[in-house]
Amino acid sequence: MSPNNVLTTASGAPVADNQNSRSAGPRGPLLLDDFQLIEKLAHFNRENIPERRVHAKGSGAYGSFTVTRDISDFTRARLFESVGKQTPVFLRFSTVGGERGSADTERDPRGFAVKFYTEEGNWDIVGNNTPVFFIRDPLKFPDFIHSQKRLAQSNLKSAQAMWDFWSYTPEALHQITILFSDRGIPDGYRHMHGFGSHTYSLINAKGERHWVKWHFKTQQGIRNLTPEAAARLAGTDPDYAQRDLFNAIERGNFPRWNVFIQVMSEAQAAGHEQNPFDVTQTWSQKAFPLVKVGELELNRNPLNYFAEVEQAAFAPSNLVPGVGLSPDRMLQGRVFAYADAQRYRVGTNYQQLPVNAPRSPVNHHQRDGAMAFGSNGGAAPNYEPNSNAEAPKQSRQHGEPALALEGAADRYDQRSDTDYYSHAGALFRLMSDQQRTLLLNNIAGSMAGVSVEVVRHQLQHFFKADPAYGEGIAQALGMPLNQAPGHSKQTR
């Protein structure tokens, strides 16, 4: 037998018998010194790492990003330095609120997270298939997710909790309108757009900063599922989106996205009436048109789901010179929360795993921790400054230009901007009659069984976005208009 075919323990020792446990006689009890038995059972008990609190169920694939336009006026990032340049990527799609065993066809936003393995380190864009989000302050994120998850007593999801929270969160209405529209249930992952959602920044060689929004437009065309089709697939093929993505790539039908940016100068942002860092609102594409900068293709499936998809770790704190963050409150919160979640979920050294490891040199002073790979830094000092001429040193040339800040530190009311409704109302008015009917029926169906108090509280938001929006929901719920808060003859 070839040495390559000999079964071994994790420590490399050959296994003589993998069919029978050691026992005291043929009928006797098992023995504690059966290391193979203990190792197999102990490892089995630990095969599942804690699932992500959000985006638990996902699919992923490898591919490449190709530059199609010179944007050196905006960024010094080397992955954009020449037209035609390619950078390897890993993209993970996901549902947001469901557990790992949930159906791919639930009405839910879809995660769209891209890891660029650049020559200057890993850069992550951690976004969704929607350009906005439900909340604008990370202090409310645990509350929002708790309202979407299972109740403490019954362990059941609750429409009452969901709409109760939303009725007190008017800034969520824009995302709600998207979620319950005809685009609320994408037909797999290949036929949907992706968005960075947040405002990010690009920094050029002159040290000039521009604010940007990232858009990934599917070349496959938008396709969505009806509620009826989604429910059928949830019962017959709950892994529908994952199967579709995997099989398409295996067939050589590689999905592609056109990559665009919207660009806003710091001066434009300072004079902009709308807060450009509010993730519950979009930027006007008339004022800030889409600029195509590249194409993204997925062309290789992972060989092992757990190693490459489940352990894939994304964080907006993964940046490279020439790309940066912004004062977006939600983005600022995610910079901490995402990396911290990976340290808890996967482990202290999660960035050393192959799917997360940079393709560029790594030189730092972090040592030890569970599952440290390689030499653990060897004999090199793990402090800085030091007298070792070969030790890594800081490089000021890679720093960002100063960002001017002002104002006294305080807990400023994030709702001082009360424009919760204009974007949702504009989206509603853009819809066709068929799209509006579907939206109204979807929302009414979701609110079935919700208390009258919560329904009445939420209805006022629909009316403020557009009178026809509120009237349609009230009628779909069977509520007389004279009992609907926010309705009046003047609104008709």
Side-chain angles (χ1 to χ4, degrees):
M1 177 181 292
S2 166
N4 293 330
N5 299 119
V6 174
L7 179 68
T8 72
T9 65
S11 60
V15 173
D17 187 344
N18 193 45
Q19 316 307 319
N20 306 289
S21 300
R22 278 169 52 84
S23 62
R27 297 187 179 183
L30 302 184
L31 302 178
L32 186 61
D33 68 357
D34 187 350
F35 178 76
Q36 173 69 353
L37 169 67
I38 300 303
E39 181 180 70
K40 288 182 71 174
L41 293 182
H43 187 277
F44 177 79
N45 287 344
R46 293 162 175 79
E47 281 183 356
N48 286 354
I49 60 178
E51 72 176 28
R52 294 166 170 86
R53 189 62 178 130
V54 289
H55 300 276
K57 187 180 184 186
S59 305
Y62 295 94
S64 61
F65 168 75
T66 304
V67 177
T68 60
R69 182 187 178 115
D70 179 6
I71 56 170
S72 56
D73 286 348
F74 301 128
T75 180
R76 66 174 186 264
R78 292 180 63 184
L79 79 155
F80 294 109
E81 66 186 358
S82 61
V83 173
K85 183 169 183 176
Q86 290 193 332
T87 298
V89 302
F90 182 80
L91 199 161
R92 184 177 185 270
F93 305 95
S94 57
T95 53
V96 177
E99 299 89 358
R100 281 193 61 193
S102 59
D104 286 347
T105 57
E106 293 185 1
R107 184 175 300 280
D108 201 8
R110 301 295 190 265
F112 194 101
V114 188
K115 185 181 295 292
F116 298 81
Y117 300 100
T118 88
E119 60 208 281
E120 299 177 290
N122 288 353
W123 170 40
D124 292 355
I125 295 180
V126 186
N128 287 322
N129 70 322
T130 59
V132 295
F133 196 60
F134 296 94
I135 55 176
R136 54 170 70 139
D137 192 309
L139 190 67
K140 302 311 300 171
F141 188 76
D143 300 294
F144 164 60
I145 296 301
H146 290 163
S147 75
Q148 309 292 303
K149 292 288 189 177
R150 298 181 181 276
L151 296 178
Q153 180 182 20
S154 66
N155 195 42
L156 298 173
K157 291 189 175 183
S158 168
Q160 172 75 15
M162 182 172 69
W163 285 103
D164 188 26
F165 178 85
W166 282 341
S167 75
Y168 287 94
T169 311
E171 64 268 27
L173 189 57
H174 192 186
Q175 175 76 314
I176 291 171
T177 304
I178 297 173
L179 179 62
F180 287 92
S181 74
D182 58 331
R183 294 197 179 190
I185 311 177
D187 186 351
Y189 295 129
R190 297 181 297 128
H191 296 278
M192 68 180 195
H193 295 332
F195 301 88
S197 302
H198 298 286
T199 299
Y200 295 87
S201 58
L202 292 176
I203 300 161
N204 64 21
K206 299 177 183 178
E208 298 168 334
R209 178 186 287 107
H210 288 81
W211 306 119
V212 295
K213 294 273 195 180
W214 291 93
H215 301 249
F216 300 80
K217 300 288 190 177
T218 177
Q219 292 187 12
Q220 289 69 241
I222 291 289
R223 285 201 332 217
N224 301 287
L225 297 172
T226 65
E228 296 75 20
R232 175 180 56 79
L233 286 167
T236 60
D237 189 4
D239 302 317
Y240 171 78
Q242 181 162 305
R243 189 184 319 282
D244 175 74
L245 177 69
F246 185 91
N247 289 343
I249 294 174
E250 287 295 289
R251 293 193 306 267
N253 183 15
F254 302 143
R256 297 181 178 89
W257 287 259
N258 294 323
V259 183
F260 298 85
I261 56 174
Q262 287 179 282
V263 182
M264 182 186 296
S265 70
E266 288 190 277
Q268 287 174 313
H272 202 257
E273 181 179 2
Q274 172 189 318
N275 178 5
F277 311 115
D278 180 357
V279 73
T280 67
Q281 299 182 354
T282 56
W283 292 0
S284 165
Q285 292 187 18
K286 291 182 179 179
F288 305 99
L290 294 177
V291 178
K292 185 179 178 183
V293 300
E295 294 185 0
L296 188 150
E297 176 186 272
L298 297 181
N299 49 36
R300 179 166 65 89
N301 280 316
L303 295 177
N304 185 278
Y305 180 89
F306 179 86
E308 300 169 83
V309 181
E310 186 62 15
Q311 291 192 129
F314 297 84
S317 53
N318 288 339
L319 300 168
V320 297
V323 300
L325 306 171
S326 82
D328 182 329
R329 286 192 185 194
M330 281 296 296
L331 179 59
Q332 295 277 313
R334 295 175 80 194
V335 166
F336 162 75
Y338 270 60
D340 190 58
Q342 308 300 359
R343 284 188 286 268
Y344 162 74
R345 191 181 68 87
V346 183
T348 306
N349 292 299
Y350 71 92
Q351 289 164 307
Q352 297 182 21
L353 293 170
V355 69
N356 301 321
R359 311 288 174 87
S360 58
V362 176
N363 302 298
H364 57 66
H365 299 297
Q366 293 173 199
R367 300 288 189 273
D368 308 338
M371 308 302 288
F373 287 72
S375 66
N376 193 37
N382 64 337
Y383 58 90
E384 198 274 333
N386 60 66
S387 59
N388 187 331
E390 303 300 320
K393 302 292 191 296
Q394 64 189 28
S395 175
R396 292 191 178 277
Q397 69 182 18
H398 291 108
E400 290 190 7
L403 176 63
L405 303 174
E406 62 180 21
D410 199 356
R411 294 187 180 273
Y412 292 96
D413 185 1
Q414 44 121 341
R415 291 189 177 141
S416 59
D417 175 4
T418 58
D419 182 16
Y420 312 129
Y421 308 111
S422 65
H423 284 66
L427 179 58
F428 178 82
R429 288 185 288 275
L430 282 173
M431 294 180 177
S432 66
D433 289 343
Q434 182 180 5
Q435 289 174 317
R436 289 189 191 184
T437 298
L438 182 62
L439 170 70
L440 301 175
N441 289 340
N442 288 339
I443 292 176
S446 175
M447 298 184 82
V450 173
S451 69
V452 173
E453 177 185 10
V454 168
V455 170
R456 289 171 59 85
H457 199 229
Q458 177 63 40
L459 273 175
Q460 63 180 318
H461 302 311
F462 294 127
F463 275 107
K464 290 176 181 177
D466 191 282
Y469 199 170
E471 289 182 7
I473 299 295
Q475 291 172 348
L477 289 171
M479 176 176 286
L481 291 179
N482 60 4
Q483 297 179 20
H487 176 267
S488 68
K489 291 182 179 179
Q490 286 74 28
T491 65
R492 298 192 70 180

